[in-house]
Amino acid sequence: AATYTTNSMQTFDTLLGDIENLQTATNTLQTDANSALQTAQAVAQQDDDVNNTNAADTKADAQESATSFVNSATNLVSLSEDAIDAANNSIDAANNSIREAQEAFDKTTAANEDTSSAQIQLDNANAQLLEANSELFDATTANSAAQTQLVDANTLLSTINNIGDAQTDTISISEDSGVFMSSVLDNDVDGVSVTASTIVGDYGTVVINSDGTYTYTLDNDLVQSLDDGEQSTDSFNYTL
C-alpha cells in the first residue's frame, strides 16, 4: 500500500507540472486572444467601404486566437480533473496504508511486542494521507481556475463572433433626386448601433442616426459642376 501511495503521488506531481506548463500556455493564449479582440474591434470601426476585407480577415484571426484559447482552457480543465482523480487515488491508497498499519499496530499490541515499528508505519501512513489531501486541495483549486478560464475563453470567443461586420452601402441617384433615405445596417451582420454623425460630401450631405437610418440630400448646385452624362462618387465613412 505504501508503494502504491508513492506511485500515486508521483503521478500527481507529474500532472501538477503539466498543469503549470499548460496554465502558462493558456495565459499566453488569453493575452493573445484579448489583443486580437481589441484589434478586431478597432478594425471593425474603421472605414466600412475600404476596410471591409481587412475587417473580415482580422475577425477571422481573432476567432482563431480565441478558439485556441478555448481549446487550451478545455484541456486545462481535463488535465486538472485527472489531477483530482490522481489525488483521490492517493487518498484511497493512504487510507489503505493507515488501515494496514493500524491492524499491524493492534496485533503487535495484542501480542505485547515492541510497538515502535508499527507506530512508525502508522505515522507514515497518516503523513501520506495529509499529503494526499493537500494534493486534492491543489488539484481542486487548479480545476476551479481552469473552469473560470474556460468561461472567459468562451465569452471572449462569443464577443469576437458578435463583432459587427460592416458591409459597403451603395446608392445611385440622379440630378434633382432630392433626398434619399435608407439604413446602413440593412446589409450588415451583427451590427448593433452606429455612431450618429452628419457628414458633408462633395455633392451632398448625409445624416446618419444611431439606429443606422440615414438621409442623403443631394446638393444640385454642386452637381452642376459635372458635364452632361458624367458620373461621380460621393463617399462617406461611418463607425459601428
Side-chain angles (χ1 to χ4, degrees):
T3 302
Y4 177 69
T5 303
T6 300
N7 290 338
S8 297
M9 292 177 178
Q10 290 173 346
T11 299
F12 176 81
D13 289 340
T14 299
L15 283 170
L16 190 59
D18 292 342
I19 288 173
E20 290 174 349
N21 292 334
L22 183 55
Q23 183 69 70
T24 299
T26 303
N27 288 338
T28 299
L29 286 170
Q30 183 173 17
T31 300
D32 292 344
N34 281 321
S35 177
L37 169 62
Q38 294 172 358
T39 301
Q41 288 174 328
V43 173
Q45 290 175 352
Q46 292 176 4
D47 298 348
D48 142 30
D49 54 347
V50 175
N51 294 304
N52 183 54
T53 300
N54 291 339
D57 290 343
T58 303
K59 180 177 178 179
D61 291 341
Q63 287 171 325
E64 182 177 355
S65 295
T67 299
S68 296
F69 178 30
V70 170
N71 291 338
S72 185
T74 300
N75 290 336
L76 190 59
V77 169
S78 178
L79 195 60
S80 62
E81 288 173 348
D82 289 343
I84 289 176
D85 290 340
N88 281 322
N89 287 337
S90 293
I91 289 174
D92 290 341
N95 281 326
N96 287 334
S97 294
I98 288 175
R99 185 179 64 255
E100 292 175 2
Q102 187 65 55
E103 290 174 354
F105 182 83
D106 292 342
K107 290 179 180 178
T108 301
T109 302
N112 294 319
E113 297 176 358
D114 183 7
T115 60
S116 59
S117 177
Q119 184 64 58
I120 291 173
Q121 183 181 359
L122 182 59
D123 290 343
N124 288 339
N126 279 301
Q128 289 175 344
L129 181 60
L130 287 175
E131 185 173 350
N133 277 305
S134 177
E135 290 177 358
L136 181 59
F137 176 81
D138 291 343
T140 302
T141 300
N143 181 256
S144 178
Q147 294 282 0
T148 298
Q149 276 199 301
L150 182 57
V151 171
D152 291 344
N154 281 304
T155 299
L156 183 64
L157 180 59
S158 177
T159 300
I160 291 173
N161 288 336
N162 289 324
I163 291 177
D165 292 330
Q167 305 294 325
T168 301
D169 303 280
T170 304
I171 62 172
S172 296
I173 59 176
S174 303
E175 184 179 353
D176 300 322
S177 295
V179 178
F180 182 90
M181 302 178 64
S182 186
S183 173
V184 297
L185 297 181
D186 287 345
N187 62 343
D188 290 330
V189 178
D190 295 325
V192 290
S193 64
V194 178
T195 301
S197 57
T198 298
I199 310 170
V200 178
D202 293 332
Y203 302 102
T205 301
V206 64
V207 177
I208 303 176
N209 303 308
S210 59
D211 63 357
T213 59
Y214 72 90
T215 58
Y216 176 76
T217 303
L218 183 67
D219 189 330
N220 282 308
D221 291 336
L222 295 175
V223 173
Q224 301 307 316
S225 64
L226 299 176
D227 295 332
D228 289 342
E230 182 181 358
Q231 296 182 352
S232 189
T233 301
D234 220 355
S235 298
F236 306 90
N237 301 325
Y238 63 89
T239 301
L240 289 179

